[in-house]
Amino acid sequence: MTTVSMPAPAGVRPRRAAGRWARRGPLLPALLFTIVVTQLPFLATLVISFTDWNALYPDRRGFAAFGNYTAVLSDPQLRSSILTTVILTVSVVLVSLVLGLAIALLLDRRFHGRAIVRTMLIAPFLVVPVAAALLWKHALYNPEYGLFNGILTGIFGQGAAQPDWISDAPMFSVVASLVWQWTPFMMLILLAGLQSRSPEVLEAARVDGASAFAVFRHITLPHLRQYLELGALLGCIYIVQNFDAVFTITAGGLGTANLPYTIYQTFYQAHDYGRASAAGVIVVIGSMIVATFALRVVSSLLKQEADR
Amino acid sequence: MTQTLSAPAGTAAPPPARPRKTRRGPGGAVLGVVAWIVGIAFFFPVAWMVFTSLHSEQAAATNPPDVTAPLTVDGYREFFATNPWPYLINSATASIVSTALVVVLAMFAGYALAIRPVRKWSDVLFFFLTTKMLPAVAGLLPVYLIAQHIGLLDNIWLMVILYTAMNLPIAVWMMHSFLAEVPVAILEAAALDGARLPTVMRRVILPIASPGIAATALICFIFAWNEMLFARVLTGVVAGTAPVFLTSFVTTQGLFLAKVCAAATAISIPVLVAGFAAQNKLVQGLSLGAVK
């Protein structure tokens, strides 16, 4: 797979064709690989979504038309998991983006130990997601010996309230752990953005007597727009697909089952291949709606680059 | 956007770019303290995980927490006694091999896209990005069926292939922006000297773009090491990866907090070490060089 350049059809065609292949050749392995491994399975999913196929009843296979789709969309559990996915994604991305921006602004200033603080902040992003979810579930949220209730006892004594975080606020518990993991990611992207501002412009604004807020509003924020969009885009891509936190913290219970988890269950436990595929296709359609907006954003990035 | 920004810079007599230190006002010290508090708050759960992992089970499960309890490495001893090595080796194999493949494939693709752009190159970049927007679960079932059919189920090389595909789009994006930085003149000179593509890659592009390559590799390694959904469905006894082992470890061991924390720490350490060591490159990579 490492030998790359497709043998140019030298000699057969005039040189131009050879040149064209020399240009395209290096691109082909990555392109072909991506198409084969990502697009073909999706096509297969599309096909399966129109069939009646439950692995537990292998002889009942047949064409289902839109049967799986109507089943998925009329199943209250699946419908609620669609809503859950949207709520989960939007809240995690928004909160971590805002927090990340605030922290990036703090870290953009010079202060003693800035490098240490940044290193500490990166840590949540680096902890393996399953490990992070386990940490939150058992070491922090646990009602009997979790740290949060331990702190409450430490402060208010033995009679302190001991909430059962995960049962009392399941969605909040999942969101909080994900915000903790993703804020550093947003912070890193936005910090890169802040540090790429032109120092001359900032200096000039200051010489002109612009207030800190005016500088933020009229220089920093417009400059950061692309970075904010990039963070939101990447955050959406990864959090829509989140499986680890939902699987580990609540096991999809208490109204926190998002689409990836539901599909996993439909496929892995109910063995209903047709329905799982239909749900998968619905996730893709949802993602495509988000992506069309996102792509318009990225296309502006590409255009700028093309103009170089 | 950039135009409006650079306009005032042109008019102002360019001051000898004063270091940003001037901004450290009286409020600066307070904000520095705030930054420290935030940093500690975010780091605290990680520190707590490590701290708890160094306790005995009784000391770990006290309420309020007993911070004076003696430390012990029993949690780690018991974790390694359950023989996690095959899983760690599987994870290492899948992450390292797929990262190497991704970097090589993405380097050539990035070369084609950034240095000798094919026509419609931005369409190709779009395509790579859209594959990332196809949620992985949507392809899970066919991958499972195909793997079952050709006997690749519970085989670590299947994970290598999938992780390569999973990371390739982001890597192509990153490499494309890093390679766009390589001065064209150098490449033309190399071409005049008659260097062929592999030579150009090794002698010219590799040295110049190595920070970018390192950033790309690091991010691919992290995502591959962390992946769980596919590993959970497609691997089992033989090819299980570290995250899969971690979840099964918790269910078979019940709730032994110190041991769970030891396992979680041990499995996170490779990524933590790599990430801390290369945090500058991480920043560079995460911004995808998107905006220059």
Side-chain angles (χ1 to χ4, degrees):
Chain A
M1 223 172 289
T2 46
T3 43
V4 157
S5 33
M6 292 281 291
V12 185
R13 288 267 189 107
R15 272 204 167 165
R16 263 172 139 207
R20 219 181 291 155
W21 277 108
R23 279 170 173 241
R24 283 182 191 162
L27 184 62
L28 286 179
L31 201 55
L32 292 178
F33 187 89
T34 307
I35 291 172
V36 170
V37 185
T38 68
Q39 307 298 292
L40 294 187
F42 174 64
L43 277 182
T45 303
L46 200 59
V47 172
I48 297 171
S49 74
F50 289 105
T51 62
D52 244 331
W53 186 5
N54 188 318
L56 299 178
Y57 311 100
D59 42 336
R60 271 194 230 159
R61 263 177 86 172
F63 181 68
F66 286 95
N68 289 315
Y69 289 91
T70 47
V72 166
L73 291 173
S74 61
D75 180 348
Q77 217 181 329
L78 274 162
R79 261 201 315 227
S80 87
S81 75
I82 294 175
L83 187 65
T84 304
T85 311
V86 173
I87 296 172
L88 189 74
T89 309
V90 171
S91 52
V92 172
V93 170
L94 276 185
V95 176
S96 57
L97 208 52
V98 170
L99 268 179
L101 175 61
I103 298 172
L105 286 168
L106 277 176
L107 285 202
D108 187 44
R109 312 173 63 96
R110 279 165 186 273
F111 59 90
H112 285 294
R114 184 168 70 162
I116 302 170
V117 171
R118 197 180 74 177
T119 305
M120 290 199 297
L121 272 163
I122 294 174
F125 177 64
L126 296 175
V127 172
V128 173
V130 185
L134 286 171
L135 165 74
W136 280 76
K137 178 175 184 172
H138 296 303
L140 303 182
Y141 286 144
N142 186 292
E144 275 148 43
Y145 45 76
L147 178 65
F148 291 156
N149 284 355
I151 291 175
L152 288 178
T153 312
I155 296 175
F156 300 109
Q158 283 304 330
Q162 299 283 292
D164 185 344
W165 300 89
I166 295 174
S167 336
D168 294 348
M171 196 64 181
F172 176 82
S173 303
V174 175
V175 168
S177 76
L178 283 172
V179 164
W180 176 75
Q181 276 228 294
W182 283 89
T183 298
F185 178 84
M186 302 299 184
M187 184 276 287
L188 284 174
I189 289 181
L190 295 173
L191 190 59
L194 286 175
Q195 297 186 337
S196 72
R197 281 176 307 173
S198 140
E200 289 87 22
V201 176
L202 293 174
E203 187 73 17
R206 225 162 289 123
V207 169
D208 290 348
S211 69
F213 180 74
V215 171
F216 177 76
R217 174 74 189 77
H218 296 291
I219 298 176
T220 304
L221 217 50
H223 174 77
L224 278 189
R225 208 190 93 191
Q226 303 182 10
Y227 291 88
L228 286 164
E229 289 164 345
L230 191 71
L233 172 67
L234 290 174
C236 285
I237 289 175
Y238 285 105
I239 293 159
V240 162
Q241 307 194 34
N242 181 275
F243 173 76
D244 303 21
V246 171
F247 173 82
T248 309
I249 295 180
T250 59
L254 308 163
T256 60
N258 62 351
L259 274 167
Y261 184 82
T262 308
I263 294 170
Y264 165 82
Q265 262 200 327
T266 319
F267 151 58
Y268 209 60
Q269 283 166 14
H271 296 278
D272 197 328
Y273 291 176
R275 225 176 259 196
S277 301
V281 173
I282 290 174
V283 183
V284 171
I285 293 171
S287 305
M288 264 168 6
I289 296 172
V290 177
T292 357
F293 288 108
L295 277 182
R296 206 166 297 156
V297 168
V298 182
S299 80
S300 72
L301 289 183
L302 278 176
K303 270 196 207 95
Q304 283 185 359
E305 215 178 300
D307 290 344
R308 283 193 315 155
Chain B
M1 208 179 309
T2 26
Q3 290 88 326
T4 51
L5 284 186
S6 47
T11 49
R18 245 192 275 163
R20 287 206 194 166
K21 256 185 192 162
T22 42
R23 284 213 291 151
R24 207 196 269 176
V30 179
L31 289 174
V33 173
V34 174
W36 265 97
I37 292 171
V38 172
I40 290 169
F42 267 83
F43 185 67
F44 196 73
V46 181
W48 189 251
M49 173 174 81
V50 179
F51 187 64
T52 308
S53 74
L54 292 169
H55 276 134
S56 67
E57 291 301 342
Q58 292 93 316
T62 51
N63 181 354
D66 179 7
V67 288
T68 55
L71 300 184
T72 161
V73 291
D74 283 353
Y76 290 90
R77 204 173 289 143
E78 285 178 49
F79 168 66
F80 283 106
T82 57
N83 194 20
W85 291 109
Y87 300 93
L88 290 170
I89 291 168
N90 280 336
S91 265
T93 311
S95 312
I96 294 171
V97 177
S98 76
T99 299
L101 274 174
V102 166
V103 167
V104 172
L105 289 175
M107 241 173 85
F108 284 101
Y111 172 85
L113 290 171
I115 292 169
R116 307 185 61 188
V118 288
R119 279 200 311 147
K120 303 257 180 192
W121 60 276
S122 59
D123 291 350
V124 179
L125 269 185
F126 265 173
F127 168 74
F128 275 111
L129 195 71
T130 49
T131 64
K132 208 58 226 173
M133 289 169 180
L134 272 185
V137 273
L140 184 60
L141 175 63
V143 169
Y144 177 84
L145 295 173
I146 294 166
Q148 196 179 34
H149 190 69
I150 58 177
L152 266 182
L153 224 47
D154 201 11
N155 183 323
I156 197 62
W157 295 103
L158 175 67
M159 305 319 288
V160 170
I161 294 170
L162 292 177
Y163 292 167
T164 305
M166 169 180 90
N167 284 326
L168 198 51
I170 293 285
V172 168
W173 264 74
M174 290 173 63
M175 290 308 285
H176 154 259
S177 21
F178 290 126
L179 292 184
E181 304 273 281
V182 176
V184 181
I186 298 182
L187 293 159
E188 278 166 359
L192 276 181
D193 291 346
R196 315 205 72 207
L197 183 56
T199 321
V200 174
M201 281 288 171
R202 212 177 55 243
R203 294 277 183 79
V204 183
I205 291 177
L206 208 57
I208 298 180
S210 59
I213 295 168
T216 312
L218 182 67
I219 284 170
C220 294
F221 175 83
I222 292 176
F223 283 134
W225 183 274
N226 288 351
E227 202 283 331
M228 179 166 88
L229 178 60
F230 272 80
R232 209 185 145 72
V233 174
L234 301 169
T235 70
V237 196
V238 185
T241 59
V244 175
F245 177 72
L246 187 55
T247 53
S248 64
F249 181 80
V250 174
T251 40
T252 53
Q253 303 285 314
L255 258 187
F256 292 100
L257 193 57
K259 231 190 294 175
V260 167
C261 284
T265 307
I267 282 164
S268 298
I269 275 180
V271 177
L272 278 167
V273 169
F276 284 151
Q279 47 176 300
N280 282 322
K281 288 175 178 146
L282 198 67
V283 176
Q284 215 182 337
L286 283 177
S287 65
L288 303 184
V291 201
K292 284 171 198 105

